Amino acid sequence: MVERTGCSVICIAHIRKTASGAKSAEEGGQIGLDDIKGSGSLKQISDVVTAKERNQQAEDEATRDVSQLRVLKVRRGGKTGLADRLKYDTTTGRVKPIDPEDFPEPDGDPDF
């Protein structure tokens, strides 16, 4: 259908619960392709898969409002990893990109 019509299909999927002892996504854990809930075809057939990660349980309110975009799969090109950081503005209700210098780098990824 996509190839025939030239349109894009965007699918939003939930993620599985983490194994016991692992850091959950709600606590800022890193999301991978195997975390996608539902059919395995979501990771197999998709051209691009992205994830939005956020530590909902952070002590600091400013940290709770920051999300990371992670590219999990790119069929053409293959460049994956952290893509950007976003901050939710509680006043406007909008999400905006933030400068990496305005927020400390995420744990374990000094290249971001």
Side-chain angles (χ1 to χ4, degrees), residues 32-106:
L33 281 173
D34 289 332
D35 295 321
I36 298 172
K37 193 175 186 178
S39 172
S41 65
L42 290 173
K43 87 174 188 182
Q44 183 179 5
I45 295 174
S46 300
D47 285 337
V48 177
V49 179
T50 61
K52 182 175 170 251
E53 305 166 344
R54 163 173 94 95
N55 186 352
Q56 299 172 347
Q57 307 303 317
E59 298 281 330
D60 178 29
E61 188 173 337
T63 302
R64 281 193 305 260
D65 291 339
V66 173
S67 299
Q68 297 180 146
L69 292 182
R70 184 176 305 277
V71 179
L72 304 178
K73 177 184 178 181
V74 178
R75 190 173 298 278
R76 295 184 178 107
K79 181 97 169 126
T80 59
L82 284 176
D84 207 351
R85 289 198 201 143
L86 307 172
K87 181 162 179 51
Y88 176 73
D89 186 330
T90 55
T91 306
T92 64
R94 295 185 181 263
V95 179
K96 302 175 186 177
I98 60 172
D99 188 339
E101 294 178 7
D102 293 341
F103 196 79
E105 61 191 43

